[in-house]
Amino acid sequence: MVLSLWISIDNLTSGNTLLVTGNIIMLAGLLISSVAGVLDIRHNRRHRTLPPPKPLSRQNPRRTAVRFAVAGLLADAVGDAAPEAPDWDGPGPVLFALLALMVAFVPGRFMLLLSIPLSAVFILGVLADPEPLDRLTNPTAQPLGFAGTVLQLAGLTTAVIAGVIAVLPPKPTPTKA
């Protein structure tokens, strides 16, 4: 959240009206989601009967989907770092590796719920950026870059799909009459 806030505030000084408008909307969304999150946490602490299961515990009926989501986030981190090797141009690989660890170990569904839209937005970001698109359309020019971009897109897509499956409420068990 702090990183998003810093980027948004930094972009408010831009001369591009569309960029400033988008950042104002993003800041409003951050504020609303932060307040809603605090209220939801407060409500759940008061009304919870059982603690939430740990994501990878046997008690979690969606453990397999969580494993796939974590694997997808880690694949994205590796795929994002691969074309750049030691010359990383941003925090993406580290952030997605940390997000994968948080999805794996933080109880409840919050981290998965955070990873789904974040992964979806990064898919759009990869597809909107000319550099990864050039790697995808010209794989022989940069084989490592091509493989990294494919791995990144596959990882993000897996994280979105598995994340959605993992956060779905469990089906009620039928009662015998």
Side-chain angles (χ1 to χ4, degrees):
M1 184 170 131
V2 174
L3 182 62
S4 299
L5 190 60
W6 173 72
I7 291 169
S8 298
I9 290 174
D10 189 47
N11 285 333
L12 289 176
T13 59
S14 171
N16 183 335
T17 307
L18 191 58
L19 179 66
V20 172
T21 304
N23 279 286
I24 289 171
I25 292 169
M26 188 168 56
L27 284 172
L30 278 170
L31 179 64
I32 291 168
S33 65
S34 297
V35 170
V38 168
L39 292 175
D40 190 46
I41 290 169
R42 184 175 158 210
H43 171 78
N44 285 338
R45 284 194 174 182
R46 288 183 176 175
H47 296 89
R48 182 184 318 155
T49 55
L50 295 172
K54 293 182 178 156
L56 298 176
S57 72
R58 294 188 190 277
Q59 292 77 26
N60 185 355
R62 308 280 191 205
R63 180 173 61 166
T64 302
V66 172
R67 287 179 177 167
F68 274 101
V70 169
L73 293 169
L74 289 173
D76 168 60
V78 171
D80 189 14
E84 301 158 0
D87 299 323
W88 288 349
D89 64 352
V94 174
L95 291 176
F96 272 92
L98 290 174
L99 181 59
L101 290 173
M102 290 189 291
V103 165
F105 296 110
V106 173
R109 299 182 306 168
F110 176 74
M111 296 314 300
L112 271 167
L113 287 169
L114 174 67
S115 73
I116 294 166
L118 188 61
S119 296
V121 167
F122 269 75
I123 290 171
L124 295 175
V126 169
L127 295 175
D129 188 353
E131 189 177 333
L133 286 179
D134 184 48
R135 287 188 221 132
L136 287 173
T137 56
N138 193 4
T140 56
Q142 298 178 24
L144 183 61
F146 172 76
T149 303
V150 169
L151 182 61
Q152 186 178 15
L153 286 171
L156 289 169
T157 303
T158 301
V160 169
I161 293 168
V164 168
I165 292 169
V167 298
L168 290 174
K171 293 179 183 176
T173 54
T175 57
K176 294 183 180 181

